[in-house]
């Protein structure tokens, strides 16, 4: 109505832009702000509103330019400093983001949003206590600030303060019941407490609010991998549904490779991940990258990792081109990969946090493969292969995967053992007079069936103990619930359990010197933890399941040659544990030789793995070229 009276009313155009933005009508919002700026080019509020909308569209460089323009016009504009900080954060420029938020707070000390966003940036740098302090200050100013409650919950979660994190997310949902982000985050914390069914419900609520929330949908798929009794058939169905909703609408045709691109040219391999650092992906990737022959291939990494570390540096040094993709939209990253002329593109995340599956849905490379980061099908029609081995995906299981299986001959990964790992200690049972079993997998893997089986082992060996270690056990309430389950449901005295929380990596590794035998959970077994256990001389008892995630330990044990600890059934699992616990000389012999045995196996042989890897990838590429030639001939 205002514009009917005064069509050149800049403030009305800008306000309409804000309303459209809040309704998710981003293109209309941008048009309204731009119209306001045509009328009044020095309208600082319209510049920063436009920048905030551009940021939501992922156009971060343009967003930064808009906020800077606003600040040239109005240098003391606290909201523009805060919005600039948000855009800088999106590009991973965290120090600059912090400076912008601090500038906003110098101008406007009681600015709750700036405190909250400063906390978010500090969180990104791992400055957790400061992050919590800023979120709490935002809440002192505005107790009903749902986003600040949500951000506080995320930081508390990263500190292992799970019950407190849940309280924060629940408070955010009391204020804003329609926050899909809060429901999704709550699901993640519940999962880490081992409350799988409740975690699934939280993700389902997030999706009911926003069916296009692909991150919550990916989380839901991840949680399915942990469900007792889960089948490959069921996993195929739910992953296909994710693809139908989120992947298929983004598919675009990829140009055929030039006819001159023959099998003899150097392959251009791309690796996409937010986990290129001290993370299982880094541990299983780095030796390959360091061992690939540059005459065979050129390597590119596309990294979304905020916190760089020594492994990030090592990976960066090992590849031909290391690109920081933080802040790039999926469309921008897909275009960059296509411009780099990548032949074979590897997804190293699957449906895990911060994944880039929507890049792969756009098919920026002619051949795309899923590897390491996700243990099962992605469901994507555009993902051509899943890299596996004969242990985790036997031929009979292939029908349940949307991808073809690229099966490596001697294990599907190569492990980089920690260089500073402590020496393997003496067998604890020899001095303690009882055997200690252990599992250091995350609490989300420990379901009622797992507890029941471990309780049966403890019943069969009345003097034995069980040590569990994980972030969740820093929370007294979580630890109490697990002890109660063993004691009240299975009659195992709580004093036979030792529950350890988070520690430094060196302390974590040294804890293996306090256990004699590791017991694998199910249906999602150990991966990195199994490799670390073997490196520390501790054998792992496992019972392979149907799914890829349920056969991880089986794969690693088979490659190392320790199949004597692989059970054929759950009763056999218990028998193997009891037999091994009653044979201390055998346990001592395994412990004394296991590290050397593992070091000399294909599991840790980078050059051998790289040879097998590149040969298999080249064969897949040659097959692609042959198919292209057939299509041209037709």
């Amino acid at each position: 109505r205002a514009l009917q009276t005064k069509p050149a009313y800049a403030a009305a155009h800008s306000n309409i832009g804000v309303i459209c933005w809040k309704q998710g009508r981003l293109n209309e919002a941008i048009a309204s702000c731009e119209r306001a700026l045509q009328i009044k080019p020095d309208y600082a509020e319209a510049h920063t509103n436009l920048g905030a909308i551009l940021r939501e569209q992922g156009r971060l460089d343009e967003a930064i330019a808009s906020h800077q323009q606003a600040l040239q016009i109005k240098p003391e504009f606290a909201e523009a400093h805060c919005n600039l900080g948000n855009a800088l954060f999106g590009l991973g420029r965290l120090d600059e983001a912090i400076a912008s938020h601090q500038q906003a707070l110098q101008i406007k000390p009681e600015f709750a949003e700036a405190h909250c966003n400063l906390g978010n940036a500090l969180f990104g740098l791992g400055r957790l206590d400061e992050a919590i302090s800023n979120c709490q200050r935002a809440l002192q100013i505005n107790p009903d600030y749902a986003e600040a409650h949500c951000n506080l919950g995320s930081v508390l979660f990263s500190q292992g303060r799970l019950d407190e994190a849940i309280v924060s997310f629940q408070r955010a949902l009391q204020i804003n019941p329609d926050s899909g982000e809060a429901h999704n985050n709550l699901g993640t914390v519940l999962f880490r407490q081992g409350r799988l069914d409740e975690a699934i419900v939280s993700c389902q609520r997030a999706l009911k609010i926003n069916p296009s929330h692909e991150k919550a949908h990916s989380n839901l798929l991840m949680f399915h991998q942990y469900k007792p009794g889960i089948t490959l058939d069921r996993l195929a169905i739910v992953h296909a549904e994710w693809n139908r909703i989120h992947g298929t609408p983004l598919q675009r045709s990829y140009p055929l490779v030039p006819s001159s691109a023959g099998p003899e040219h150097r392959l251009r391999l791309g690796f996409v991940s937010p986990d290129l650092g001290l993370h299982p992906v880094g541990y299983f990737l780095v030796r390959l990258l360091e061992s690939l022959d540059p005459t065979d291939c050129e390597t590119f990494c596309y990294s979304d990792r905020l916190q760089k570390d020594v492994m990030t540096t090592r990976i960066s040094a090992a590849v031909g081109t290391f690109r920081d993709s933080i802040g790039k939209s999926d469309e921008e990253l897909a275009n960059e990969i296509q411009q780099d002329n990548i032949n074979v593109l590897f997804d190293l995340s699957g449906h895990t946090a911060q994944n880039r599956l929507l890049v792969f849905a756009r098919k920026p490379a002619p051949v795309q493969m899923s590897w390491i980061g996700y243990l099962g099908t992605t469901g994507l029609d555009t993902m051509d292969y899943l890299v596996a081995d004969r242990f985790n995906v036997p031929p009979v299981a292939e029908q349940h995967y949307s991808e073809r299986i690229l099966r490596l001959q001697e294990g599907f990964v190569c492990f980089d053992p920690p260089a500073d790992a402590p020496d393997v200690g003496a067998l604890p049972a020899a001095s303690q007079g009882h055997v200690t079993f252990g599992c250091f997998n995350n609490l989300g893997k420990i379901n009622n069936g797992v507890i029941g089986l471990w309780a049966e082992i403890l019943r069969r060996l009345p003097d034995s103990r069980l040590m569990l270690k994980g972030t969740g056990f820093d929370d007294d309430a979580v630890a109490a619930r697990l002890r109660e389950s063993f004691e009240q449901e299975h009659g195992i005295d709580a004093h036979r359990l030792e529950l350890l929380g988070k520690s430094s990596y060196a302390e974590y590794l040294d804890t293996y010197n306090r256990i004699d035998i590791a017991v694998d959970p199910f249906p999602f077994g150990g991966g990195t933890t199994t490799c670390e256990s073997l490196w520390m001389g501790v054998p792992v008892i496992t019972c392979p399941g149907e799914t890829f995630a349920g056969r991880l330990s089986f794969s690693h044990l088979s490659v190392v040659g320790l199949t004597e600890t692989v059970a054929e059934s759950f009763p056999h699992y218990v028998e193997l544990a009891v037999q091994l616990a009653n044979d201390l000389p055998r346990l001592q012999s395994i412990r004394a030789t296991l590290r050397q045995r593992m070091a000399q196996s294909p599991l840790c042989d980078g050059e051998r793995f790289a040879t097998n890897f590149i040969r298999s990838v080249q064969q897949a590429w040659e097959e692609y070229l042959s198919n292209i030639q057939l299509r041209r001939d037709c």
Side-chain angles (χ1 to χ4, degrees):
R1 288 179 181 176
L3 290 172
Q4 287 173 358
T5 304
K6 186 180 178 182
Y9 189 7
H13 284 290
S14 180
N15 290 342
I16 288 173
V18 172
I19 294 165
C20 289
W21 170 30
K22 298 301 181 184
Q23 290 182 331
R25 297 155 57 189
L26 301 187
N27 290 331
E28 295 172 72
I30 288 172
S32 290
C33 289
E34 288 176 339
R35 179 67 184 126
L37 291 167
Q38 287 171 355
I39 297 165
K40 188 179 178 181
D42 62 348
Y43 191 0
E45 287 77 4
H47 278 293
T48 200
N49 287 343
L50 176 60
I53 301 162
L54 290 167
R55 171 179 169 264
E56 191 156 323
Q57 279 197 330
R59 297 160 63 180
L60 297 179
D61 289 327
E62 295 172 78
I64 288 171
S66 288
H67 297 313
Q68 290 172 334
Q69 183 67 29
L71 290 168
Q72 285 180 0
I73 298 163
K74 192 175 179 180
E76 297 299 300
F77 191 3
E79 285 75 7
H81 283 291
C82 184
N83 287 340
L84 175 60
N86 291 339
L88 290 165
F89 176 85
L91 284 174
R93 294 159 61 178
L94 300 188
D95 289 326
E96 295 173 76
I98 288 170
S100 288
H101 292 310
Q102 288 173 334
Q103 181 65 32
L105 289 167
Q106 285 181 2
I107 298 164
K108 190 176 178 181
E110 298 297 294
F111 191 1
E113 186 178 348
H115 280 292
C116 177
N117 294 335
L118 175 57
N120 207 28
L122 291 164
F123 180 30
L125 284 178
R127 293 160 62 178
L128 304 185
D129 290 337
E130 295 171 81
I132 288 174
S133 177
N134 276 276
C135 289
Q136 290 172 336
R137 182 69 186 113
L139 291 168
Q140 287 173 352
I141 298 166
N142 180 6
D144 292 331
Y145 189 3
E147 187 177 345
H149 283 290
C150 200
N151 286 354
L152 176 59
S154 296
V155 186
L156 291 168
F157 169 61
S158 73
Q159 286 192 324
R161 297 159 65 178
L162 304 189
D163 272 353
E164 293 176 77
I166 286 175
V167 169
S168 289
F169 292 131
Q170 289 174 335
R171 179 66 184 127
L173 289 167
Q174 287 173 354
I175 299 164
N176 180 13
D178 291 333
S179 172
E181 198 64 28
H183 280 294
N184 183 45
N185 291 348
L186 176 60
T188 301
V189 185
L190 290 167
F191 165 74
R192 282 300 181 93
Q193 286 194 331
R195 298 158 67 180
L196 181 62
D197 291 339
E198 295 171 78
I200 288 173
V201 168
S202 286
C203 287
Q204 289 170 333
R205 285 175 178 161
L207 289 170
K208 187 174 182 180
I209 294 164
N210 179 10
S212 64
H213 195 326
E214 79 279 355
K215 302 302 183 187
H217 203 164
S218 280
N219 257 357
L220 185 61
L221 298 185
M222 268 292 297
F223 297 159
H224 270 76
Q225 298 267 18
Y226 294 80
K227 289 182 69 173
I230 192 67
T231 64
L232 282 173
D233 187 54
R234 180 60 185 159
L235 288 175
I237 291 169
V238 296
H239 284 74
E241 179 67 3
W242 189 98
N243 177 63
R244 183 187 68 79
I245 296 171
H246 310 290
T248 301
L250 296 173
Q251 288 183 20
R252 62 188 189 186
S253 60
Y254 187 89
L256 301 181
V257 296
S259 57
S260 59
E264 70 284 348
H265 89 303
R266 278 205 307 165
L267 279 178
R268 295 169 72 86
L269 308 181
F271 302 86
V272 180
S273 176
D275 300 318
L276 301 179
L278 293 171
H279 181 278
V281 167
Y283 305 148
F284 288 122
L285 176 69
V286 67
R287 287 203 170 188
L288 168 72
L289 295 178
E290 291 175 339
S291 302
L292 283 170
D293 188 337
T295 63
D296 290 330
C297 60
E298 298 177 71
T299 50
F300 297 72
C301 281
Y302 303 88
S303 171
D304 277 328
R305 190 168 185 83
L306 274 175
Q307 295 184 34
K308 312 296 192 292
D309 53 42
V310 292
M311 182 63 80
T312 311
T313 302
R314 190 173 156 193
I315 290 172
S316 178
V319 297
T321 303
F322 189 94
R323 300 200 188 282
D324 201 329
S325 52
I326 296 170
K328 288 186 171 68
S329 69
D330 293 324
E331 183 71 19
E332 289 172 329
L333 181 54
N335 289 337
E336 181 176 50
I337 290 166
Q338 189 168 347
Q339 289 164 8
D340 283 337
N341 294 314
I342 299 299
N343 302 132
V344 183
L345 185 67
F346 293 87
D347 159 50
L348 306 182
S349 302
H351 290 280
T352 61
Q354 298 176 282
N355 72 74
R356 287 288 200 153
L357 283 181
L358 297 185
V359 169
F360 286 80
R362 291 169 163 85
K363 201 69 160 77
V367 177
Q368 300 190 150
M369 301 187 180
S370 179
W371 180 46
I372 300 179
Y374 193 65
L375 306 168
T377 184
T378 62
L380 278 178
D381 292 334
T382 53
M383 196 70 73
D384 302 290
Y385 290 92
L386 172 68
V387 181
D389 59 40
R390 67 184 186 276
F391 309 110
N392 43 46
V393 184
V396 69
E398 290 184 14
Q399 61 181 311
H400 299 289
Y401 293 83
S402 60
E403 306 87 353
R404 296 177 63 187
I405 304 303
L406 187 76
R407 192 171 280 108
L408 302 185
Q409 292 303 308
E410 296 180 304
F412 79 113
V413 290
C414 181
F415 180 62
D416 182 61
D420 54 352
D423 293 337
V424 175
L427 188 70
S431 59
Q432 293 177 349
H434 63 261
V435 166
T436 301
F437 294 94
C439 179
F440 300 166
N441 283 268
N442 76 65
L443 188 55
K445 297 183 180 183
I446 303 176
N447 55 62
N448 289 336
V450 171
I451 291 172
L453 207 63
W454 291 348
E456 177 62 21
I457 293 171
L458 295 176
R459 268 193 296 271
R460 294 278 300 274
L461 298 163
D463 294 328
S464 63
R465 301 288 188 273
L466 175 63
M467 180 185 293
L468 304 178
K469 181 172 172 59
T471 302
F473 296 125
D474 288 309
D475 194 313
D476 291 340
V478 174
R481 281 194 291 270
L482 191 72
R483 288 193 178 96
E484 183 178 305
S485 180
F486 271 92
E487 197 161 42
Q488 295 188 7
E489 297 175 29
H490 301 284
I492 301 299
D493 196 310
H495 84 272
R496 298 178 65 188
L497 304 179
E498 186 171 0
L499 308 181
L500 305 176
K502 192 174 182 180
S503 67
S504 70
Y505 189 55
E507 291 171 327
Y508 158 80
L509 290 172
D510 197 42
T511 309
Y512 280 103
N513 279 325
R514 296 172 57 190
I515 66 172
D516 301 285
I517 303 169
V519 281
D520 207 28
F522 53 86
F524 201 123
T528 311
T529 51
T530 293
C531 291
E532 290 162 339
S533 180
L534 299 178
W535 190 251
M536 292 305 301
V538 180
V540 180
I541 295 177
T542 188
C543 184
E546 178 181 336
T547 67
F548 192 125
R551 303 175 69 85
L552 275 178
S553 292
F554 174 45
S555 172
H556 299 326
L557 290 166
S558 297
V559 174
V560 171
L562 193 65
T563 53
E564 63 204 82
T565 60
V566 177
E568 298 174 358
S569 64
F570 290 147
H572 188 212
Y573 179 106
V574 174
E575 289 302 324
L576 284 179
V578 172
Q579 290 171 13
L580 199 53
N582 285 325
D583 192 347
L584 295 191
R586 183 177 164 213
L587 259 182
Q588 198 134 17
S589 174
I590 292 173
R591 195 179 193 92
T593 59
L594 192 48
R595 179 175 289 189
Q596 183 179 8
R597 185 173 175 179
M598 182 178 176
Q600 294 174 348
S601 77
L603 185 58
C604 297
D605 190 334
E607 291 186 6
R608 185 170 173 177
F609 181 81
T611 299
N612 289 332
F613 181 90
I614 195 65
R615 182 188 301 123
S616 296
V617 173
Q618 284 172 335
Q619 288 171 354
W621 177 246
E622 289 166 14
E623 183 175 343
Y624 168 79
L625 292 179
S626 297
N627 290 337
I628 292 298
Q629 189 59 51
L630 284 173
R631 288 166 62 184
R632 285 199 174 104
D633 292 344
C634 291

